[in-house]
Protein backbone atom coordinates (compact mmCIF):
# COMPACT_ATOMS: atom_id res chain seq x y z
CA UNK A 1 0.00 0.00 0.00
CA UNK A 2 1.34 3.45 -0.90
CA UNK A 3 1.85 5.81 2.03
CA UNK A 4 0.40 9.31 1.70
CA UNK A 5 2.88 12.16 1.58
CA UNK A 6 2.84 14.70 4.46
CA UNK A 7 1.33 17.46 2.33
CA UNK A 8 -1.77 15.31 1.86
CA UNK A 9 -2.31 14.77 5.58
CA UNK A 10 -4.87 17.12 7.11
CA UNK A 11 -3.22 16.93 10.53
CA UNK A 12 -0.03 18.48 9.15
CA UNK A 13 -1.88 21.80 8.76
CA UNK A 14 -2.41 22.10 12.51
CA UNK A 15 0.42 23.83 14.44
CA UNK A 16 0.37 21.30 17.28
CA UNK A 17 1.05 18.50 14.79
CA UNK A 18 3.01 19.93 11.87
CA UNK A 19 6.39 19.75 13.63
CA UNK A 20 6.19 15.97 13.94
CA UNK A 21 8.08 13.53 11.69
CA UNK A 22 6.22 11.96 8.81
CA UNK A 23 5.81 8.60 10.55
CA UNK A 24 4.07 10.22 13.52
CA UNK A 25 1.88 12.34 11.24
CA UNK A 26 0.70 9.14 9.57
CA UNK A 27 0.02 7.62 12.99
CA UNK A 28 -2.16 10.61 13.96
CA UNK A 29 -3.89 10.61 10.58
CA UNK A 30 -4.84 6.99 11.17
CA UNK A 31 -6.62 8.03 14.38
CA UNK A 32 -8.86 10.70 12.86
CA UNK A 33 -12.15 10.21 11.08
CA UNK A 34 -12.61 12.17 7.87
CA UNK A 35 -16.08 13.68 7.82
CA UNK A 36 -17.97 15.92 5.39
CA UNK A 37 -20.57 18.57 6.25
CA UNK A 38 -22.85 20.39 3.83
CA UNK A 39 -23.52 24.14 3.96
CA UNK A 40 -25.71 24.88 6.97
CA UNK A 41 -25.03 21.52 8.61
CA UNK A 42 -23.80 21.66 12.22
CA UNK A 43 -20.56 20.05 13.25
CA UNK A 44 -21.94 20.25 16.76
CA UNK A 45 -24.71 22.09 18.59
CA UNK A 46 -24.78 24.08 21.81
CA UNK A 47 -25.58 21.95 24.88
CA UNK A 48 -24.51 18.74 23.12
CA UNK A 49 -21.78 16.54 24.68
CA UNK A 50 -18.28 17.67 23.76
CA UNK A 51 -15.44 15.26 23.26
CA UNK A 52 -13.71 15.68 19.92
CA UNK A 53 -11.12 17.84 18.18
CA UNK A 54 -12.25 19.17 14.79
CA UNK A 55 -9.49 19.98 12.29
CA UNK A 56 -10.78 21.91 9.28
CA UNK A 57 -9.28 20.69 6.02
CA UNK A 58 -11.57 22.55 3.58
CA UNK A 59 -14.43 25.02 3.85
CA UNK A 60 -15.45 27.53 6.50
CA UNK A 61 -17.17 27.05 9.85
CA UNK A 62 -18.87 29.66 12.03
CA UNK A 63 -18.79 29.08 15.78
CA UNK A 64 -21.76 31.04 17.14
CA UNK A 65 -23.34 31.59 20.52
CA UNK A 66 -26.85 32.86 21.28
CA UNK A 67 -27.25 36.11 23.18
CA UNK A 68 -29.91 37.47 25.51
CA UNK A 69 -31.43 39.62 22.75
CA UNK A 70 -31.89 36.61 20.48
CA UNK A 71 -29.06 37.45 18.08
CA UNK A 72 -26.20 35.10 17.36
CA UNK A 73 -22.72 36.27 18.34
CA UNK A 74 -19.88 34.99 16.19
CA UNK A 75 -17.27 33.59 18.57
CA UNK A 76 -14.76 32.69 15.89
CA UNK A 77 -14.53 31.51 12.31
CA UNK A 78 -12.68 28.33 11.38
CA UNK A 79 -10.93 28.05 8.02
CA UNK A 80 -8.53 25.40 6.65
CA UNK A 81 -5.82 24.65 9.16
CA UNK A 82 -7.87 25.83 12.15
CA UNK A 83 -9.07 23.49 14.86
CA UNK A 84 -11.65 23.56 17.62
CA UNK A 85 -12.52 21.41 20.62
CA UNK A 86 -9.07 20.97 22.09
CA UNK A 87 -10.16 21.89 25.63
CA UNK A 88 -12.98 19.37 25.47
CA UNK A 89 -10.49 16.55 25.02
CA UNK A 90 -9.39 16.94 28.64
CA UNK A 91 -12.72 17.19 30.43
CA UNK A 92 -16.33 16.05 30.45
CA UNK A 93 -18.21 19.04 29.11
CA UNK A 94 -20.98 20.26 26.84
CA UNK A 95 -20.62 22.66 23.94
CA UNK A 96 -21.34 26.27 24.90
CA UNK A 97 -21.71 27.31 21.26
CA UNK A 98 -22.69 25.78 17.93
CA UNK A 99 -20.39 25.20 14.96
CA UNK A 100 -22.11 25.41 11.56
CA UNK A 101 -20.64 24.88 8.10
CA UNK A 102 -20.74 28.12 6.07
CA UNK A 103 -19.72 26.18 2.95
CA UNK A 104 -19.08 22.49 2.23
CA UNK A 105 -16.61 21.39 4.90
CA UNK A 106 -14.18 18.51 5.16
CA UNK A 107 -12.91 17.91 8.67
CA UNK A 108 -10.65 15.48 10.46
CA UNK A 109 -12.26 14.52 13.76
CA UNK A 110 -10.12 13.19 16.61
CA UNK A 111 -12.04 11.82 19.58
CA UNK A 112 -11.12 12.28 23.23
CA UNK A 113 -10.14 8.70 24.04
CA UNK A 114 -7.82 8.47 21.02
CA UNK A 115 -6.32 11.90 21.71
CA UNK A 116 -5.59 11.12 25.36
CA UNK A 117 -3.70 8.02 24.35
CA UNK A 118 -1.79 10.15 21.84
CA UNK A 119 -0.79 12.66 24.53
CA UNK A 120 0.59 9.84 26.66
CA UNK A 121 2.80 8.85 23.75
CA UNK A 122 3.79 12.40 22.65
CA UNK A 123 4.34 14.80 25.61
CA UNK A 124 5.53 17.51 23.19
CA UNK A 125 2.03 17.69 21.74
CA UNK A 126 0.65 18.37 25.23
CA UNK A 127 2.96 21.39 25.57
CA UNK A 128 1.98 22.65 22.12
CA UNK A 129 -1.72 22.40 22.97
CA UNK A 130 -1.19 24.40 26.17
CA UNK A 131 0.68 27.14 24.28
CA UNK A 132 -2.00 27.33 21.58
CA UNK A 133 -4.79 27.56 24.16
CA UNK A 134 -2.98 30.40 25.93
CA UNK A 135 -2.79 32.38 22.68
CA UNK A 136 -6.49 31.77 21.96
CA UNK A 137 -7.46 32.92 25.46
CA UNK A 138 -5.52 36.15 24.89
CA UNK A 139 -7.30 36.68 21.56
CA UNK A 140 -10.75 36.06 23.07
CA UNK A 141 -10.05 38.43 25.96
CA UNK A 142 -8.90 41.13 23.55
CA UNK A 143 -12.02 40.65 21.39
CA UNK A 144 -14.32 40.78 24.42
CA UNK A 145 -12.68 43.99 25.65
CA UNK A 146 -12.95 45.57 22.20
CA UNK A 147 -16.66 44.70 21.80
CA UNK A 148 -17.60 45.98 25.25
CA UNK A 149 -15.55 49.19 25.35
CA UNK A 150 -15.01 50.48 21.81
CA UNK A 151 -17.38 52.05 19.31
CA UNK A 152 -18.41 50.16 16.18
CA UNK A 153 -16.17 52.46 14.10
CA UNK A 154 -13.17 51.66 16.28
CA UNK A 155 -13.87 47.92 16.24
CA UNK A 156 -14.16 47.96 12.46
CA UNK A 157 -11.06 50.11 11.94
CA UNK A 158 -8.92 47.98 14.24
CA UNK A 159 -10.17 44.78 12.64
CA UNK A 160 -9.31 46.07 9.14
CA UNK A 161 -5.82 47.05 10.25
CA UNK A 162 -5.16 43.55 11.62
CA UNK A 163 -6.10 41.76 8.39
CA UNK A 164 -3.49 40.49 5.92
CA UNK A 165 -3.19 43.07 3.14
CA UNK A 166 -1.74 43.05 -0.35
CA UNK A 167 -0.48 46.58 -1.02
CA UNK A 168 -3.12 47.87 1.38
CA UNK A 169 -5.91 45.77 -0.11
CA UNK A 170 -7.87 43.54 2.25
CA UNK A 171 -10.07 40.67 1.08
CA UNK A 172 -12.79 40.02 3.64
CA UNK A 173 -12.35 36.44 4.94
CA UNK A 174 -16.03 36.14 5.85
CA UNK A 175 -19.43 37.37 4.73
CA UNK A 176 -20.48 40.80 6.00
CA UNK A 177 -23.23 39.24 8.10
CA UNK A 178 -20.63 37.11 9.88
CA UNK A 179 -18.27 40.08 10.23
CA UNK A 180 -21.06 42.15 11.77
CA UNK A 181 -21.74 39.38 14.30
CA UNK A 182 -18.02 39.12 15.09
CA UNK A 183 -17.82 42.87 15.71
CA UNK A 184 -20.96 42.80 17.86
CA UNK A 185 -23.16 44.87 15.57
CA UNK A 186 -25.78 44.49 12.83
CA UNK A 187 -25.16 44.10 9.07
CA UNK A 188 -26.96 47.41 8.48
CA UNK A 189 -24.74 49.26 10.93
CA UNK A 190 -21.64 47.63 9.49
CA UNK A 191 -22.57 48.74 5.96
CA UNK A 192 -23.21 52.28 7.21
CA UNK A 193 -19.87 52.45 9.00
CA UNK A 194 -18.04 51.17 5.93
CA UNK A 195 -19.66 53.95 3.89
CA UNK A 196 -18.67 56.52 6.50
CA UNK A 197 -15.04 55.36 6.44
CA UNK A 198 -15.15 55.49 2.65
CA UNK A 199 -16.65 59.01 2.68
CA UNK A 200 -13.83 60.05 5.00
CA UNK A 201 -11.38 58.69 2.40
CA UNK A 202 -9.90 56.25 4.89
CA UNK A 203 -10.86 53.21 2.81
CA UNK A 204 -12.15 52.41 -0.66
CA UNK A 205 -14.59 49.60 -1.46
CA UNK A 206 -12.94 48.08 -4.52
CA UNK A 207 -15.50 45.27 -4.64
CA UNK A 208 -18.13 44.08 -2.14
CA UNK A 209 -15.60 41.78 -0.48
CA UNK A 210 -12.43 43.77 -1.21
CA UNK A 211 -11.43 46.92 0.67
CA UNK A 212 -8.40 49.11 0.05
CA UNK A 213 -6.96 50.94 3.02
CA UNK A 214 -6.17 54.49 1.89
CA UNK A 215 -5.12 56.01 5.21
CA UNK A 216 -3.87 53.54 7.84
CA UNK A 217 -2.89 56.32 10.24
CA UNK A 218 -6.39 57.75 9.96
CA UNK A 219 -7.92 54.36 10.72
CA UNK A 220 -5.75 54.01 13.83
CA UNK A 221 -7.12 57.34 15.05
CA UNK A 222 -10.78 56.36 14.62
Amino acid sequence: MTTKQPEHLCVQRVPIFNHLPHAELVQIENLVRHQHFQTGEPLYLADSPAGALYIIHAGSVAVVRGSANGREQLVRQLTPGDFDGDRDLFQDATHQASAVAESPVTACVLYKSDFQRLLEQEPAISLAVIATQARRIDELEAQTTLVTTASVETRLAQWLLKQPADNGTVTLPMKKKALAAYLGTTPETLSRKLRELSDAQLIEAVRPSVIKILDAAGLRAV
Side-chain angles (χ1 to χ4, degrees), residues 99-171:
V100 181
E102 296 183 304
S103 60
V105 167
T106 300
C108 301
V109 184
L110 179 62
Y111 289 94
K112 183 193 301 184
S113 58
D114 296 326
F115 193 71
Q116 289 177 342
R117 285 194 295 270
L118 174 67
L119 294 182
E120 292 176 358
Q121 299 168 1
E122 297 292 342
I125 295 179
S126 298
L127 295 176
V129 169
I130 292 171
T132 300
Q133 286 183 293
R135 288 194 299 271
R136 290 175 63 192
I137 289 172
D138 288 342
E139 291 173 359
L140 287 173
E141 288 180 346
Q143 175 63 14
T144 299
T145 300
L146 189 63
V147 168
T148 56
T149 62
S151 66
V152 176
E153 293 94 335
T154 299
R155 295 177 225 163
L156 175 57
Q158 291 190 19
W159 183 86
L160 286 171
L161 289 169
K162 291 179 180 178
Q163 301 313 298
D166 182 10
N167 291 325
T169 300
V170 173
T171 299

Side-chain angles (χ1 to χ4, degrees), residues 37-133:
F37 302 87
Q38 298 303 313
T39 302
E41 184 178 357
L43 281 68
Y44 57 79
L45 294 172
D47 299 323
S48 66
L53 169 67
Y54 294 84
I55 306 166
I56 307 306
H57 176 63
S60 176
V61 175
V63 180
V64 296
R65 178 179 296 154
S67 61
N69 60 14
R71 290 193 307 172
E72 287 187 338
Q73 172 68 46
L74 182 68
V75 178
R76 61 190 296 239
Q77 188 177 49
L78 307 176
T79 55
D82 290 335
F83 63 93
D84 186 65
D86 44 329
R87 289 178 298 176
D88 302 324
L89 297 175
F90 303 96
Q91 59 185 354
D92 293 327
T94 57
H95 289 294
Q96 300 301 305
S98 298
V100 181
E102 296 183 304
S103 60
V105 167
T106 300
C108 301
V109 184
L110 179 62
Y111 289 94
K112 183 193 301 184
S113 58
D114 296 326
F115 193 71
Q116 289 177 342
R117 285 194 295 270
L118 174 67
L119 294 182
E120 292 176 358
Q121 299 168 1
E122 297 292 342
I125 295 179
S126 298
L127 295 176
V129 169
I130 292 171
T132 300
Q133 286 183 293

